[in-house]
Amino acid sequence: MRARQNLRDAFSMHKRVSSKEAIDIIDKEDYSALLQNGIGQGIMNPSWKLSLPHILVATISSFLFGYHLGVVNEPLESISLDLGFSGNTMAEGLVVSTCLGGALIGSLFSGWITDGVGRRRAFQLSALPMMVGASVSATTTNLEGMLLGRFLVGTGMGLGPSVASLYVTEVSPSYVRGTYGSFIQIATCLGLMSALFIGIPVKEIVGWWRVCFWVSAIPASILALAMEFCVESPHWLHKKGRYADAEAEFEKVLGGIHVKLAMTELSKSDRGDGTDSLKFSELLYGRHFRVVFVGSTLYAFQQLSGINAVFYFSSTVFKSVGVPSDLANICVGIANLLGSIVAMVSMDKLGRKVLLLGSFSGMVVAMGLQAIAASSIVTGSGSVYLSVGGMLLFVLMFSLGAGPVPGLLLSEILPGRIRAKAMAVCLSVHWVINFFVGLLFLQLLEQLGPLILYSIFATFSLMAVAFVKKSILETKGKSLQEIEIALLPQE
């Protein structure tokens, strides 16, 4: 009762004092009690419908991310023939990995961009190089032009995932944050599938690969335009001292009755933070090192599992075992989508840690099947079934946890003061490893053979299981402020 009365007092006092001052009305014990007992479902569960349109617009960036990941999968052979580098595996690898090099550059600056201009403007800035780069790739007549276009697209891809994870986490109500976070993976999956479907006619229609690049300019334009009508992150506004604007945006995505409690939570976590004095070195040692290390390592394991080698070169791999590449790629997209939908339904029920453990464990088994298929143990049609089945199972298991969870989990466990810049550091690790996987996969496949290469991928997934079990905190149903307190107790 005391907590309920204090909440009423705080709400009434809020009209006479600033949001920064209102926090002192509720003491720490009563604040914790409010979070735990909820004061009824109405207070703790704002309508998910208010924030949904903003989340859907934000995930267009994830759709573009997925599209550009898969856009060269099917057309790569036609591109190499038209641009004169057919049979050159290094050049083919560069067409894939130059995009990832650009993504690394975009990712390195993403934290400073999103903190500097805000989440909405960062989305629009990510769309611009993707439109320009797609146009350059679509009109080029040589390898150099293709690489330039892919690099420009990559810079937008590097910025997009970071700001999408931040925005979805900061705008979503806590009880559906996991579900909304899964939208990112689903949008990425739909982007990949769209690239695969649009690429199907590439063998029948000369120059169709140019259409594949032109198409991507449409969703990029929609993202840049629609963001004008979306809310800015209340967390970013509050961090900048724009408390009235933060309240107005909270009201749009949570409803009026929830604004003051949301502002109270933000004020409590930001009090005395000194948000503008963060140095890059603070991310690499001291009390912030743990969460940055966990995030970077999780992304490293995600990429070292070999998942993007599957997305980039699935056509080549399937063709080597006699399976039509267009059919196989459609199956890969369907497996990815099904797993992402299951993850969306399960994220706020089973939790992040359970999904990660199940996902990486399943990926070990799937890679094991592919390794067996590549050995002399199984021959003929049995080898084909194991190879294709193992790859589809691998994609399915990845999309259940290893795909959607890291981006959401990082934006949850990183404190508000360092969230954007620390995400930039963690995603840079992601892009560096992604770059080298894309560049070297075909060469390693030729030199080591599939048995050894798939066994290496399986080993990294097994190491990820041990890491998740030991180091990952469950964040299901917790507010961002509760998570921050649990991971970074005040010194």
Side-chain angles (χ1 to χ4, degrees):
M1 291 298 293
R2 179 168 171 260
R4 187 189 297 270
Q5 183 60 45
N6 280 350
L7 181 63
R8 291 198 190 98
D9 293 343
F11 284 2
S12 61
M13 183 68 73
H14 189 86
K15 297 177 181 178
R16 303 191 300 274
V17 299
S18 70
S19 300
K20 205 68 173 169
E21 295 167 334
I23 181 61
D24 294 323
I25 297 170
I26 304 178
D27 62 29
K28 188 171 184 177
E29 291 77 13
D30 286 344
Y31 175 76
S32 300
L34 290 173
L35 290 177
Q36 291 171 7
N37 63 37
I39 313 299
Q41 290 297 313
I43 293 294
M44 295 305 292
N45 289 345
S47 173
W48 53 268
K49 296 178 182 178
L50 294 174
S51 54
L52 180 61
H54 308 280
I55 300 298
L56 292 177
V57 172
T59 55
I60 296 176
S61 68
S62 301
F63 176 89
L64 285 163
F65 175 77
Y67 187 90
H68 285 293
L69 279 180
V71 71
V72 298
N73 191 320
E74 188 67 28
L76 186 57
E77 184 178 345
S78 298
I79 293 172
S80 64
L81 286 170
D82 286 359
L83 300 185
F85 58 91
S86 179
N88 186 338
T89 56
M90 177 59 75
E92 290 177 356
L94 280 172
V95 171
V96 173
S97 57
T98 300
C99 179
L100 308 180
L104 172 61
I105 302 300
S107 176
L108 283 171
F109 292 99
S110 64
W112 284 262
I113 292 172
T114 52
D115 272 349
V117 302
R119 310 331 187 201
R120 289 171 62 238
R121 292 290 176 255
F123 274 119
Q124 293 172 321
L125 286 175
S126 75
L128 181 61
M130 285 195 273
M131 287 187 284
V132 175
S135 302
V136 171
S137 293
T139 56
T140 188
T141 57
N142 53 51
L143 175 61
E144 291 75 18
M146 174 60 67
L147 296 182
L148 174 61
R150 294 290 286 164
F151 180 83
L152 290 172
V153 164
T155 59
M157 289 173 63
L159 177 58
S162 176
V163 68
S165 295
L166 289 171
Y167 188 83
V168 170
T169 297
E170 294 173 349
V171 169
S172 304
S174 60
Y175 75 103
V176 291
R177 195 170 57 236
T179 301
Y180 280 175
S182 299
F183 285 9
I184 293 175
Q185 177 66 14
I186 291 176
T188 302
C189 173
L190 291 174
L192 276 164
M193 290 184 68
S194 298
L196 295 175
F197 276 112
I198 291 173
I200 288 175
V202 75
K203 293 177 183 177
E204 285 75 33
I205 304 176
V206 176
W208 182 259
W209 61 268
R210 297 184 186 276
V211 175
C212 296
F213 286 107
W214 278 121
V215 166
S216 66
I218 299 172
S221 303
I222 294 173
L223 173 64
L225 217 66
M227 263 297 147
E228 280 296 316
F229 305 97
C230 291
V231 299
E232 180 54 88
S233 164
H235 290 247
W236 180 78
L237 292 169
H238 190 277
K239 185 177 178 180
K240 293 296 183 182
R242 296 166 56 181
Y243 306 122
D245 291 337
E247 288 182 17
E249 300 296 60
F250 264 137
E251 185 169 359
K252 293 176 184 176
V253 295
L254 300 180
I257 191 173
H258 307 281
V259 171
K260 295 180 177 62
L261 183 57
M263 291 296 294
T264 298
E265 288 189 35
L266 269 184
S267 298
K268 202 163 190 73
S269 66
D270 286 348
R271 188 167 49 180
D273 231 356
T275 57
D276 294 328
S277 60
L278 179 68
K279 297 178 181 178
F280 182 78
S281 58
E282 292 182 56
L283 303 176
L284 305 179
Y285 63 84
R287 70 192 190 110
H288 295 309
F289 173 76
R290 178 189 172 192
V291 287
V292 175
F293 173 77
V294 167
S296 300
T297 306
L298 193 58
Y299 267 127
F301 280 129
Q302 182 198 63
Q303 293 306 305
L304 289 170
S305 71
I307 182 59
N308 279 321
V310 172
F311 289 140
Y312 298 148
F313 302 109
S314 58
S315 296
T316 304
V317 173
F318 281 124
K319 192 180 298 181
S320 69
V321 294
V323 178
S325 59
D326 52 354
L327 174 62
N329 287 334
I330 291 172
C331 291
V332 166
I334 292 173
N336 195 9
L337 180 60
L338 287 176
S340 300
I341 292 173
V342 173
M344 178 188 69
V345 175
S346 307
M347 190 78 74
D348 286 312
K349 295 179 180 178
L350 297 179
R352 286 58 155 160
K353 188 170 184 175
V354 171
L355 289 180
L356 278 176
L357 287 171
S359 177
F360 278 118
S361 298
M363 289 160 68
V364 173
V365 174
M367 271 298 174
L369 291 177
Q370 292 187 75
I372 292 172
S375 69
S376 58
I377 299 174
V378 182
T379 58
S381 60
S383 175
V384 174
Y385 291 139
L386 269 183
S387 180
V388 175
M391 186 169 285
L392 294 178
L393 178 62
F394 183 81
V395 172
L396 176 66
M397 297 310 300
F398 173 85
S399 62
L400 285 174
V405 171
L408 171 66
L409 185 69
L410 258 65
S411 54
E412 290 178 324
I413 67 175
L414 294 170
R417 177 176 180 243
I418 68 167
R419 187 173 293 137
K421 295 180 176 67
M423 279 288 288
V425 171
C426 296
L427 280 167
S428 296
V429 173
H430 166 280
W431 287 116
V432 167
I433 299 176
N434 200 337
F435 173 84
F436 284 107
V437 169
L439 180 64
L440 301 175
F441 176 73
L442 286 179
Q443 287 185 310
L444 290 174
L445 191 62
E446 289 177 0
Q447 295 174 9
L448 300 179
L451 175 59
I452 295 177
L453 188 56
Y454 292 156
S455 298
I456 292 173
F457 287 150
T459 301
F460 280 121
S461 292
L462 188 60
M463 292 169 63
V465 172
F467 176 78
V468 169
K469 193 170 184 180
K470 180 180 179 181
S471 304
I472 298 300
L473 170 76
E474 182 54 68
T475 59
K476 177 186 67 173
K478 297 178 181 178
S479 72
L480 298 180
Q481 288 66 40
E482 288 178 293
I483 297 168
E484 181 171 341
I485 292 170
L487 285 172
L488 292 172
Q490 295 297 317
E491 296 178 345

